[in-house]
Amino acid sequence: MHERSLPASPNWYCSRCSDVNSSGLMGVGAKNIIYLIDVSASTCRVVGELVGHKDLVSGFSFCQHAGQSHICVSSSNDGSVRFWDSDTKTLIREHAAQQTPVTAVHWSPVDKNLVVSGNEKGIVVCHWYHTGDTASFFPEPRTIFCLTCSPHTWSTVAVGYKDGMIVLIDVSKKGEVMHRLRGHDDEIHSLAWSPLASEDPLYSRPEDSEATSGVSTGEEKGCYLASGSKDQTVKLWSSAKGKGVMTLKLPYVKKRGSAVDPGVKERLWLHVHWPKGRPTQLVSSCFSGELLLWDLTKTGKQKSTLFGTSSEGQNHNRIVFNMSSVHLQDDRELLISTSMDRDIKCWDLASLDCCWTLPTLGGFVYALTFSPVGAGCLALGVGDNMIRVWNTLTTQNQYDTRSFWQGIKSKVTALAWHPKKEGTLSFGTDDGKVGIYDVFSSKPPQISSSYHRKTVYTLAWGPPVPPMSFGAAGDKPSYSLYSCAGEGVILQHDPSKLSGDASDIDKLIRDTNNIKHKLSPRTDLSWKPDGKVVAIGNEDGCIDVYQAPTLKLLCSIQQHHKIINTLRWHHDHSSSPELHCLLASGSNNAIVYVHDLHSIIENPPESPVVLTEPYRRLCGHTAKITGMAWSPHHDARLVTVSYDGTAQVWDVLQEAALSNYRGHVGYLLCVDWSPVDPDVIWTGGKDFTVQEWRISKQEFTKPPKGKKMVDLKEKKQQQKKKNKKVPGAGGAAPLQMNGESVNGGQKAATGQGLSGEDEEEEVSSTNSSVPPATQSKTFTVMKSKDKPDLNLLKKKKPRSMLPISTSMDHRPKEDLLQDCISLASVKHSDAPPAGCVPGQGEHVHLGLFSDRQALYRMFEAEEEGHVEAGHYDSVVYLRLWSGDLEGALQLATEKGELNDHLLSIAPMAGFEVWSRTVEAFVKQLCLQEQYLKAASHLLSVNKLYEAVDLLRSHKLYREAIALVKARLPADEPVLRELYTCWADVLEKDGHFSAAAKCYLAAGASFDAAKVIARKNDVSSLKTAASLARISGEVALAQSLALRCAKDLAAALDWVGAQEVLSSQESLLVHRLHLCVAELLAAMLADSQVVSQSCVSSHPWASSPGEHHLSIQDRVRDVWEQQFGVSQKSTGHCSVIALLQKLKAVESPTPTANVPLRQVQLYSSLHLTRAVLSWLLDDDAQLIKELWKTVAWLRDAVHFCVSAELCRLLFPDGDVSVFSRKHPKTLHHTEEEAKAAADSLQAFVHYQHMYEHWWSSSTQIHNGSPLSAADSSPVDELKDKVVNGSVSESEQTVCQAIRRFDKLDFDASLLLSERHAAYQAAQRSVEEIQERLAAMVLQHSRAQAGQLNSATQISTTRESSDSQGSADAGKRPEDQDTLLSLSSKMSERQKQLADLSDTIKMYPHPDVVECCLVLLHLSKSSLSVSESVQQEARDLLRKYAKDPSVLKASKQFLT
């Protein structure tokens, strides 16, 4: 488990989401997990989690009965109630009886088997723990907010509802209602029963209507019930009478010098808690985080006392949701509270002071980093829009954290401390903001005026580069701040002038390196600690390394082929300078690669180098890598975190997995190594927690094999389905209150970080349990929107265009007759009757029968009627009829009622009006998502570019391109832009071939080839190489063809590999290399040393008649016949040119982890160089390359294959005879070549010696077994032979051996005194190093006070292992001090340094081992000359130091 951790924030708006049991264990629901926190000690500690709910935890309760207090129950919005064992952290039983979210749950304090829960619909369910039965009741059809079981009568339960009603029910009588308690007029947040089983009189005010002088006892035994409501009051009720006895109004507490605004009622949560053993004291929450202790016997202002008044800053600063108390055995009485401010606080009920505060987190932990200057200062970037700074080394308060939220409006996704200035912390956010905080001042942060368009991934401090590095020494900053974000851009900010413009470093990179093609989007950057170079990761998986300050490209690492997520340079305070240039990288591939850039950084090449081989590969994770950190305490030790949900510690040089941490739920996002303790690592992730853990305490060493990943994926799928079902898990209000905002996670845009489903999951999980008020509101809004069509249809079908005048014709007969009189008067008399104006008022309908003015007046009245009824189309037609075409169009535009008919008559009003109308109609169509129709209308008014823009902005690239090509010239720049944009979108969606077509159309052949190659399979690489070759991108074509050929060769498809390379003359040397590799593989397969089945091979690789030839002779013949390469060839086949090209190909250092097929490729590379050197008559180079050919197989621990290769190269066992077919004997003049020849000859003899030994193994087997004196390539094989267990392939070698009577080689070469001295010095150094390490380990354990008996035993065992067998007794040098060991170490290292370099470069087989084997052989039937035996004994006496070797050699030296 972990040491310390910050858990996820407790859920909001729940009546009982936390509880404490009698032993001081607290359970608290956060998201869909319950965290278990031990609160019994002086400080708290998270001790575990209960994981299983699929939605938010809405309630939690412990069983408070002795012997069962470790059992607890939880309820959730997923409709289930689960029983848990908090000791084993396992699920006991699940009741999923309820389909709707369960809002409250309580374990009865009286009956140890009864649990009661209630849901949103008002159903109350009794769960019986011992039998698993359930019973449901439906006392009221209202939403339940809270419920509490009586502590005195098992069957009585109080239920509080959303509308302010409280009901007491009897669960023994099918939920019969005993009393309805009316008095509150808003949500009931909490209910608490009095701990006393009687209703003794309490003081009550005379003005309380319910009771005037307390409650008399004796009539009926009852118990008081307290309730807290959103109406700002706490009420006390008599359960016997079913009446209220007291009302407590919350006081307006003055805070920060001002009274609380009563309008703050919206943000109130009123929780009440009645502590055990205190019948007259009640605790409640208040307006903004204060806690009140009410004394129910007092009146007036003395009635309530505030908690935490003894000193500033003790209280919560947002509303409190839950409280629970516990009486511990040491007689302390504690109260634990949870709040909207994301703090869990513990209070001492005796002094009302805060004992401790546990901060919690309300979002993903995206970044965590320790300050390089302030020891132990840990900064956290969290998805709840806050930065936390945790001083992890304070002793008084283990959770000493401060929160920073000013200036931050979205998730904090990146952090970086200034390397020199203490307290200067830069941050980047999800909305693209970059800023700098001074964590020691209370000032708001400085914010850069240059924003990114998407999520900030990475921040780094580094030396300034142009244009910021220009200017006088005083003006320019010593460090610049670099930020990399989701749109693929890296900006350089000046920290002293953040208001100035930041510069995009890609401009400098283009200028310095003269790059014309499109640069891949940037996804990460890391400055080497000394500021000399910067590594930049790209979306296509390539890593570029640039030299400061001009950012000249030194090399490009093409290893990952998937988006780079994280890059880290090794620290520069390690003992070995070679390690300073190690660069670790993690991507969406699960493999971590480490590259050694020492030679490139120390001797920068003139033109950029492409690296395709890693220095080390770390395999084990099963999902993408999200973060990593080098240990500051060790050399080459790395920790990585991944989407597989684990953190892994590696020994990089050994490629060994050391420790695997699995304490998180869900994937991890960030990691850092403790700056003070080498054994401690901190991680953060998707589960909203930060955890501190020890490497030495983990039971696993490697990540899980993938099952865990499957489980995680299943969980994610279920979550995704659930999120689709529940729209937003509540309404809008809580989104800004709790957790992370919806529109986050832009990382998905370029494939890094969160995918869409992750964002959705994150949001719903943070918003906790939403107050049902908001839920029902959103629900009703949805309802009203469900059926808009009927009303609209009614509106759009008016009975008449002139409904008012039509309705006037349906009045009584008398009125209609009067109308005739009025109309006649108007028509025939000069002065119409008073008040009779046709078309207006009561005579509106007469407008139809009078003059035009009257008609217009009538139209106006009709228009008003239509507007009121919402019939705008009728208004438009009336205006049209009256000739006001422009007015009609204007009204239709304003009301969004334009249509094709109106547009067709618009030209009658003139071009300007028509043009305006078209634009308005286009906007209207866009709102209706009819983009193609909108674009076509723009073409009618000759707005071609606007039409193209419209299509492009709505991602209709295909149509936009068709339109441009149909209407504009071929060289139109907008066309290239469209192709490029479409290609970007296609590339992000993984449609690589379609993207390539776009790039080709845009004339960007380079990008087309690169994008096809991103698929990284053989057919894609082959296509990309051909495309690059046709387009004239020669360098790219070559590198892609090589990559493809390499993959085919690794799969043993030799014909395919040669075909790919044959298309380009310049790759001839690589064809020669593959030819050698194929011949080598065929000859090894013929001799049955390796069993490999080829996919395809050439006829010349399996010529049956040429088995008598050595491999080099066959190579030379095939080269001449098939490839036209010989000593005389010229032009592109000239041997000098070919060798020069092949020398540029890198070959990594051999390690045991490289697969055999890969080893054969590397080995054949050196053999190819050797044959080319032979053709050039360069004997020195030839022997060195031959030595490397054999050394590769030997160092990669393939002994039998190495022995077989030596037999193929030197059939006679003589290294100087290189070829019999083309007579060639090697003569060496220079010292290095001689040393290489001697070393090679020694290893050939060494194999012959073992052949002799195997042939006489039956005699040796009965003699004393040989112990491994030191590591040699055949240790394992030796042991097998001694113990008589040889594998098939090894037996094959052994069966071919004839019986010998005497040695057929010069054994004196194996007994080189110089090499014996070198090997002894090496062993001595290793032994001293082991003893020093054991001493340092013992010392550090003693200091940490952890030297318990177990570690003492293991230390003793370690030291005894390293210093020889225990039965040799304690030797005097075991008592050496650190000082004397160090001086011995420097002596030995000086000895090693004085030795000749050739001895180190070209080692011989272990001399002591050879001595022992030869002396064993002399005892068996073989004759070994006396002089050789004597020499062997002398060397054993002088150099045999290891106890096991001394034991084995005793029989020869006595």
Side-chain angles (χ1 to χ4, degrees):
M1 267 307 287
H2 47 72
E3 303 296 301
R4 284 178 289 176
S5 80
L6 297 186
S9 298
N11 291 337
W12 297 355
Y13 303 111
C14 301
S15 64
R16 183 187 287 100
C17 210
S18 64
D19 198 9
V20 185
N21 72 5
S22 53
S23 57
L25 183 68
M26 178 189 190
V28 57
K31 301 197 306 164
N32 56 342
I33 295 173
I34 295 134
Y35 288 90
L36 299 174
I37 303 167
D38 182 0
V39 299
S40 60
S42 58
T43 181
C44 59
R45 183 164 170 267
V46 180
V47 292
E49 296 121 28
L50 305 177
V51 183
H53 279 298
K54 297 180 180 65
D55 203 341
L56 301 167
V57 175
S58 58
F60 178 80
S61 180
F62 270 109
C63 175
Q64 299 291 356
H65 298 269
Q68 212 173 282
S69 62
H70 60 289
I71 309 293
C72 52
V73 65
S74 61
S75 64
S76 163
N77 283 5
D78 62 15
S80 73
V81 170
R82 289 174 179 240
F83 291 88
W84 309 87
D85 184 332
S86 65
D87 286 349
T88 59
K89 307 184 182 50
T90 52
L91 179 68
I92 298 170
R93 186 184 303 128
E94 176 181 12
H95 288 178
Q98 311 195 17
Q99 264 67 54
T100 39
V102 184
T103 51
V105 71
H106 191 208
W107 200 304
S108 168
V110 184
D111 188 329
K112 67 176 185 181
N113 289 312
L114 174 62
V115 171
V116 183
S117 68
N119 72 12
E120 274 183 3
K121 288 187 176 169
I123 297 169
V124 175
V125 181
C126 289
H127 310 261
W128 297 97
Y129 170 65
H130 59 315
T131 62
D133 295 335
T134 58
S136 301
F137 317 118
F138 190 35
E140 291 282 337
R142 311 163 194 264
T143 300
I144 294 175
F145 247 50
C146 55
L147 60 77
T148 303
C149 300
S150 164
H152 312 298
T153 315
W154 76 267
S155 58
T156 304
V157 179
V159 185
Y161 293 94
K162 185 191 160 189
D163 59 3
M165 167 77 84
I166 300 168
V167 169
L168 303 185
I169 62 170
D170 185 338
V171 296
S172 65
K173 298 177 181 173
K174 297 185 179 174
E176 178 185 300
V177 176
M178 297 154 61
H179 291 292
R180 285 188 173 81
L181 309 180
R182 295 183 172 88
H184 287 297
D185 51 15
D186 211 333
E187 303 162 359
I188 306 295
H189 289 161
S190 175
L191 293 167
W193 290 96
S194 164
L196 197 65
S198 72
E199 295 187 357
D200 288 342
L202 296 171
Y203 173 82
S204 81
R205 297 198 302 281
E207 62 267 28
D208 283 343
S209 59
E210 298 91 351
T212 50
S213 58
V215 178
S216 61
T217 56
E219 295 172 22
E220 185 185 336
K221 195 174 177 190
C223 170
Y224 287 127
L225 175 71
S227 60
S229 163
K230 193 178 178 181
D231 64 11
Q232 304 187 16
T233 63
V234 174
K235 286 186 184 286
L236 254 63
W237 309 85
S238 155
S239 64
K241 297 193 169 185
K243 285 184 177 179
V245 293
M246 190 183 295
T247 300
L248 308 173
K249 283 200 174 170
L250 289 190
Y252 288 124
V253 182
K254 288 203 170 185
K255 190 177 182 190
R256 297 191 192 92
S258 63
V260 170
D261 175 8
V264 91
K265 175 181 174 185
E266 280 301 303
R267 300 296 292 250
L268 174 67
W269 185 270
L270 213 172
H271 186 85
V272 291
H273 176 74
W274 213 320
K276 279 184 191 165
R278 294 176 180 242
T280 63
Q281 290 187 329
L282 184 69
V283 183
S284 82
S285 59
C286 199
F287 288 105
S288 51
E290 295 86 0
L291 299 181
L292 297 171
L293 181 68
W294 298 88
D295 188 333
L296 303 176
T297 60
K298 291 188 180 167
T299 60
K301 289 188 178 175
Q302 291 84 40
K303 198 161 191 130
S304 60
T305 316
L306 267 176
F307 278 64
T309 50
S310 63
S311 62
E312 271 298 303
Q314 291 191 49
N315 273 300
H316 290 288
N317 51 36
R318 306 282 291 279
I319 50 177
V320 172
F321 291 116
N322 292 154
M323 288 179 272
S324 36
S325 63
V326 60
H327 206 118
L328 296 173
Q329 289 171 343
D330 59 7
D331 223 29
R332 283 184 303 146
E333 201 173 348
L334 303 179
L335 179 84
I336 321 284
S337 57
T338 67
S339 160
M340 192 186 259
D341 65 5
R342 304 191 188 285
D343 281 343
I344 297 174
K345 284 183 183 281
C346 172
W347 306 84
D348 186 333
L349 276 175
S351 64
L352 303 189
D353 279 339
C354 182
C355 312
W356 48 256
T357 300
L358 174 65
T360 65
L361 307 175
F364 290 11
V365 182
Y366 289 102
L368 63 81
T369 172
F370 276 100
S371 166
V373 190
C377 206
L378 176 65
L380 311 174
V382 188
D384 57 11
N385 306 2
M386 283 199 273
I387 297 168
R388 315 291 201 293
V389 176
W390 182 356
N391 187 354
T392 58
L393 298 183
T394 46
T395 46
Q396 298 87 0
N397 176 6
Q398 288 211 322
Y399 299 95
D400 176 12
T401 63
R402 284 170 300 148
S403 301
F404 298 89
W405 49 267
Q406 287 177 288
I408 303 173
K409 296 283 188 294
S410 71
K411 307 171 191 177
V412 181
T413 50
L415 294 172
W417 290 99
H418 194 286
K420 296 280 165 44
K421 272 193 210 164
E422 191 172 0
T424 299
L425 176 66
S426 60
F427 66 89
T429 67
D430 186 44
D431 59 3
K433 184 186 289 185
V434 173
I436 300 176
Y437 254 113
D438 178 354
V439 300
F440 294 129
S441 83
S442 54
K443 291 179 188 166
Q446 297 171 270
I447 304 291
S448 170
S449 60
S450 303
Y451 278 66
H452 285 282
R453 293 201 309 280
K454 291 186 178 172
T455 306
V456 179
Y457 292 163
T458 309
L459 293 169
W461 295 90
V465 300
M468 231 163 260
S469 58
F470 298 147
D475 298 344
K476 61 184 182 186
S478 56
Y479 283 96
S480 284
L481 177 60
Y482 296 85
S483 59
C484 175
E487 73 269 25
V489 171
I490 295 176
L491 295 180
Q492 177 187 202
H493 309 262
D494 182 344
S496 58
K497 292 183 218 142
L498 282 178
S499 54
D501 281 349
S503 59
D504 182 345
I505 68 168
D506 274 355
K507 184 177 185 308
L508 175 62
I509 289 170
R510 280 180 183 284
D511 295 348
T512 301
N513 301 286
N514 195 19
I515 295 173
K516 297 286 184 283
H517 63 79
K518 173 175 165 271
L519 290 169
S520 178
R522 313 304 199 177
T523 58
D524 200 63
L525 87 156
S526 177
W527 277 95
K528 193 166 174 292
D530 60 10
K532 286 183 184 172
V533 295
V534 61
I536 294 179
N538 299 313
E539 194 183 300
D540 60 6
C542 176
I543 302 165
D544 298 324
V545 179
Y546 298 95
Q547 186 177 28
T550 56
L551 299 190
K552 175 177 182 279
L553 180 60
L554 296 180
C555 70
S556 191
I557 302 169
Q558 294 183 359
Q559 198 76 55
H560 287 280
H561 313 308
K562 280 192 179 179
I563 184 169
I564 301 294
N565 293 331
T566 174
L567 295 169
R568 286 288 180 276
W569 290 96
H570 193 284
H571 54 84
D572 56 4
H573 50 267
S574 66
S575 53
S576 154
E578 288 78 41
L579 299 177
H580 298 181
C581 298
L582 293 186
L583 174 65
S585 53
S587 71
N588 280 8
N589 280 329
I591 301 176
V592 176
Y593 291 108
V594 180
H595 288 85
D596 182 1
L597 303 175
H598 188 260
S599 56
I600 287 168
I601 291 170
E602 295 306 315
N603 309 304
E606 283 181 23
S607 60
V609 182
V610 176
L611 301 182
T612 57
E613 290 301 332
Y615 173 63
R616 293 289 185 267
R617 54 173 63 117
L618 308 175
C619 309
H621 281 299
T622 54
K624 63 179 164 188
I625 310 299
T626 50
M628 53 175 60
W630 291 95
S631 163
H633 313 281
H634 309 81
D635 283 354
R637 192 158 290 185
L638 183 73
V639 59
T640 55
V641 293
S642 160
Y643 257 43
D644 63 16
T646 70
Q648 178 65 46
V649 180
W650 308 90
D651 181 330
V652 171
L653 298 183
Q654 302 299 322
E655 295 183 333
L658 301 181
S659 175
N660 182 258
Y661 178 65
R662 306 183 182 181
H664 286 270
V665 181
Y667 49 74
L668 274 65
L669 295 168
C670 53
V671 62
D672 205 0
W673 213 294
S674 165
V676 291
D677 189 337
D679 196 34
V680 169
I681 288 174
W682 298 73
T683 46
K686 175 201 169 179
D687 59 1
F688 291 30
T689 68
V690 167
Q691 300 182 11
E692 170 193 34
W693 50 275
R694 290 194 172 275
I695 302 166
S696 55
K697 288 190 182 175
Q698 303 313 312
E699 68 173 293
F700 300 104
T701 53
K702 293 181 179 173
K705 273 290 193 293
K707 179 183 181 308
K708 189 164 184 186
M709 201 54 218
V710 174
D711 295 349
L712 281 173
K713 277 187 179 164
E714 279 176 8
K715 274 187 194 171
K716 201 176 279 185
Q717 299 260 300
Q718 289 166 351
Q719 190 79 21
K720 191 174 173 186
K721 284 178 197 161
K722 180 210 66 173
N723 285 341
K724 282 180 181 169
K725 280 181 204 160
V726 183
L735 289 188
Q736 42 95 35
M737 297 182 200
N738 185 5
E740 312 193 3
S741 59
V742 181
N743 50 0
Q746 290 294 339
K747 290 190 182 182
T750 54
Q752 182 181 357
L754 304 177
S755 65
E757 67 193 51
D758 297 336
E759 290 167 47
E760 211 173 316
E761 184 173 344
E762 186 169 356
V763 176
S764 73
S765 63
T766 338
N767 289 333
S768 294
S769 177
V770 176
T774 38
Q775 289 181 327
S776 58
K777 271 182 206 164
T778 49
F779 184 61
T780 50
V781 173
M782 290 293 291
K783 264 189 167 172
S784 65
K785 283 186 183 172
D786 282 348
K787 314 183 201 169
D789 304 344
L790 293 172
N791 299 337
L792 284 175
L793 286 173
K794 282 178 193 168
K795 287 178 188 171
K796 286 186 179 175
K797 286 191 179 175
R799 286 192 302 277
S800 158
M801 282 292 281
L802 305 167
I804 297 175
S805 51
T806 308
S807 66
M808 295 295 267
D809 285 341
H810 293 102
R811 288 177 304 155
K813 186 179 177 185
E814 290 76 15
D815 293 343
L816 296 177
L817 294 172
Q818 183 57 45
D819 286 344
C820 298
I821 303 293
S822 302
L823 187 61
S825 312
V826 168
K827 282 274 190 193
H828 297 289
S829 68
D830 298 334
C836 178
V837 183
Q840 200 172 319
E842 287 179 9
H843 303 98
V844 65
H845 56 299
L846 298 183
L848 196 62
F849 307 102
S850 187
D851 57 5
R852 183 177 289 179
Q853 289 305 317
L855 180 73
Y856 283 173
R857 285 198 295 274
M858 183 181 95
F859 275 6
E860 275 175 31
E862 293 283 6
E863 278 180 24
E864 280 174 26
H866 283 311
V867 168
E868 274 177 34
H871 305 152
Y872 300 108
D873 51 345
S874 302
V875 182
V876 170
Y877 285 121
L878 285 175
R879 289 197 183 172
L880 205 57
W881 292 356
S882 60
D884 182 9
L885 181 55
E886 197 171 337
L889 292 171
Q890 194 174 338
L891 181 76
T893 302
E894 284 169 14
K895 300 301 177 186
E897 295 276 349
L898 282 169
N899 54 33
D900 292 329
H901 168 238
L902 289 175
L903 202 65
S904 67
I905 57 175
M908 290 160 58
F911 181 78
E912 206 174 309
V913 174
W914 175 43
S915 178
R916 249 199 337 264
T917 310
V918 168
E919 283 175 30
F921 191 37
V922 164
K923 277 186 193 166
Q924 187 181 311
L925 288 170
C926 285
L927 289 173
Q928 294 161 2
E929 298 184 7
Q930 297 184 45
Y931 307 118
L932 293 171
K933 188 174 178 182
S936 307
H937 277 298
L938 281 172
L939 290 178
S940 68
V941 286
N942 210 20
K943 296 205 169 183
L944 176 62
Y945 286 101
E946 286 86 340
V948 172
D949 270 349
L950 187 146
L951 291 171
R952 174 168 58 185
S953 62
H954 292 100
K955 307 259 186 307
L956 296 166
Y957 295 108
R958 195 184 294 272
E959 290 78 3
I961 288 168
L963 180 56
V964 172
K965 285 185 84 76
R967 299 286 286 266
L968 290 171
D971 57 353
E972 180 61 43
V974 77
L975 187 59
R976 186 191 166 95
E977 251 178 74
L978 282 168
Y979 278 128
T980 313
C981 292
W982 193 19
D984 276 346
V985 171
L986 290 166
E987 193 175 336
K988 282 190 184 108
D989 293 344
H991 305 307
F992 296 135
S993 51
K997 283 186 276 196
C998 292
Y999 282 130
L1000 284 170
S1005 323
F1006 184 92
D1007 295 326
K1010 286 275 281 190
V1011 77
I1012 287 185
R1014 275 190 65 178
K1015 193 83 172 162
N1016 208 33
D1017 55 16
V1018 169
S1019 55
S1020 300
L1021 288 170
K1022 199 184 280 188
T1023 308
S1026 305
L1027 198 153
R1029 182 172 49 78
I1030 295 163
S1031 312
E1033 299 284 355
V1034 181
L1036 181 64
Q1038 286 181 9
S1039 79
L1040 290 170
L1042 265 176
R1043 254 169 72 187
C1044 182
K1046 226 187 237 183
D1047 289 353
L1048 287 164
L1052 301 182
D1053 181 356
W1054 300 108
V1055 176
Q1058 289 284 3
E1059 261 175 30
V1060 170
L1061 296 179
S1062 62
S1063 58
Q1064 301 181 50
E1065 275 186 0
S1066 55
L1067 296 176
L1068 175 62
V1069 73
H1070 298 286
R1071 294 186 65 199
L1072 298 181
H1073 170 206
L1074 289 185
C1075 160
V1076 174
E1078 185 177 354
L1079 279 167
L1080 176 60
M1083 290 173 88
L1084 288 174
D1086 287 348
S1087 54
Q1088 297 182 328
V1089 177
V1090 289
S1091 55
Q1092 295 174 339
S1093 54
C1094 285
V1095 176
S1096 67
S1097 64
H1098 294 88
W1100 43 256
S1102 53
S1103 306
E1106 298 188 354
H1107 285 310
H1108 63 285
L1109 289 180
S1110 67
I1111 186 167
Q1112 56 270 36
D1113 285 335
R1114 284 187 65 183
V1115 167
R1116 186 164 168 170
D1117 292 349
V1118 172
W1119 280 8
E1120 211 161 317
Q1121 292 157 17
Q1122 304 294 331
F1123 300 97
V1125 174
S1126 64
Q1127 279 176 311
K1128 298 168 188 167
S1129 54
T1130 54
H1132 75 279
C1133 294
S1134 93
V1135 179
I1136 295 179
L1138 291 170
L1139 186 56
Q1140 209 57 40
K1141 273 188 192 171
L1142 202 59
K1143 277 182 180 169
V1145 177
E1146 56 181 313
S1147 169
T1149 42
T1151 65
N1153 283 3
V1154 184
L1156 178 60
R1157 289 182 184 181
Q1158 205 68 37
V1159 173
Q1160 284 174 235
L1161 276 176
Y1162 291 138
S1163 184
S1164 57
L1165 173 69
H1166 293 293
L1167 184 53
T1168 311
R1169 288 182 189 163
V1171 177
L1172 286 170
S1173 305
W1174 174 25
L1175 295 176
L1176 282 176
D1177 281 331
D1178 183 347
D1179 286 6
Q1181 190 60 34
L1182 165 59
I1183 196 70
K1184 287 182 209 168
E1185 292 296 347
L1186 279 177
W1187 184 87
K1188 287 180 188 169
T1189 305
V1190 177
W1192 239 108
L1193 282 159
R1194 192 183 65 240
D1195 292 350
V1197 201
H1198 297 291
F1199 179 64
C1200 284
V1201 184
S1202 167
E1204 183 57 34
L1205 178 59
C1206 285
R1207 226 188 315 281
L1208 294 172
L1209 286 167
F1210 315 112
D1212 306 332
D1214 184 357
V1215 172
S1216 61
V1217 179
F1218 185 62
S1219 170
R1220 292 204 184 285
K1221 183 172 181 182
H1222 310 271
K1224 171 74 178 172
T1225 310
L1226 303 180
H1227 304 288
H1228 306 297
T1229 51
E1230 64 171 274
E1231 185 190 354
E1232 206 177 308
K1234 274 183 187 168
D1238 283 351
S1239 171
L1240 197 53
Q1241 187 66 68
F1243 276 106
V1244 171
H1245 286 349
Y1246 178 63
Q1247 282 149 7
H1248 278 214
M1249 178 181 77
Y1250 268 105
E1251 285 171 10
H1252 284 293
W1253 189 34
W1254 279 325
S1255 71
S1256 59
S1257 63
T1258 47
Q1259 291 103 320
I1260 293 180
H1261 186 47
N1262 302 325
S1264 64
L1266 183 67
S1267 70
D1270 196 6
S1271 61
S1272 78
V1274 291
D1275 281 348
E1276 203 181 327
L1277 195 51
K1278 269 180 352 201
D1279 294 343
K1280 283 185 191 167
V1281 172
V1282 173
N1283 300 324
S1285 64
V1286 188
S1287 72
E1288 280 179 46
S1289 60
E1290 290 153 359
Q1291 275 171 347
T1292 323
V1293 178
C1294 305
Q1295 284 158 8
I1297 298 165
R1298 60 193 179 282
R1299 292 299 301 259
F1300 302 99
D1301 293 328
K1302 63 174 185 176
L1303 294 180
D1304 58 349
F1305 61 87
D1306 177 12
S1308 61
L1309 190 60
L1310 293 172
L1311 306 180
S1312 158
E1313 170 123 18
R1314 291 194 311 155
H1315 284 87
Y1318 170 61
Q1319 289 161 3
Q1322 264 190 320
R1323 278 195 288 272
S1324 179
V1325 166
E1326 280 170 20
E1327 186 187 345
I1328 292 169
Q1329 278 176 334
E1330 279 180 20
R1331 287 167 65 193
L1332 273 170
M1335 199 177 277
V1336 169
L1337 181 69
Q1338 198 163 351
H1339 177 68
S1340 65
R1341 282 181 179 163
Q1343 274 211 324
Q1346 294 176 341
L1347 201 56
N1348 54 31
S1349 56
T1351 44
Q1352 280 173 350
I1353 291 163
S1354 67
T1355 314
T1356 320
R1357 193 179 305 131
E1358 282 164 29
S1359 54
S1360 68
D1361 288 349
S1362 64
Q1363 292 165 12
S1365 60
D1367 57 13
K1370 210 65 169 140
R1371 294 179 300 179
E1373 63 263 33
D1374 288 350
Q1375 306 300 327
D1376 283 342
T1377 61
L1378 191 65
L1379 194 62
S1380 62
L1381 280 175
S1382 304
S1383 63
K1384 272 189 189 176
M1385 181 71 143
S1386 54
E1387 254 174 67
R1388 298 285 187 280
Q1389 285 178 330
K1390 190 169 181 302
Q1391 278 177 18
L1392 285 173
D1394 293 344
L1395 287 166
S1396 159
D1397 282 348
T1398 54
I1399 292 180
K1400 298 172 196 168
M1401 279 171 67
Y1402 301 104
H1404 278 214
D1406 192 314
V1407 177
V1408 173
E1409 181 192 325
C1410 294
C1411 292
L1412 281 170
V1413 175
L1414 286 168
L1415 289 169
H1416 265 281
L1417 288 173
S1418 69
K1419 280 204 163 187
S1420 67
S1421 59
L1422 289 162
S1423 60
V1424 177
S1425 72
E1426 189 55 47
S1427 62
V1428 169
Q1429 289 185 42
Q1430 188 54 45
E1431 197 178 340
R1433 286 192 198 95
D1434 292 346
L1435 286 169
L1436 273 179
R1437 284 192 188 93
K1438 193 168 179 184
Y1439 296 110
K1441 292 284 189 290
D1442 192 286
S1444 55
V1445 177
L1446 288 169
K1447 191 175 173 185
S1449 56
K1450 207 177 280 182
Q1451 54 180 311
F1452 306 118
L1453 301 179
T1454 48

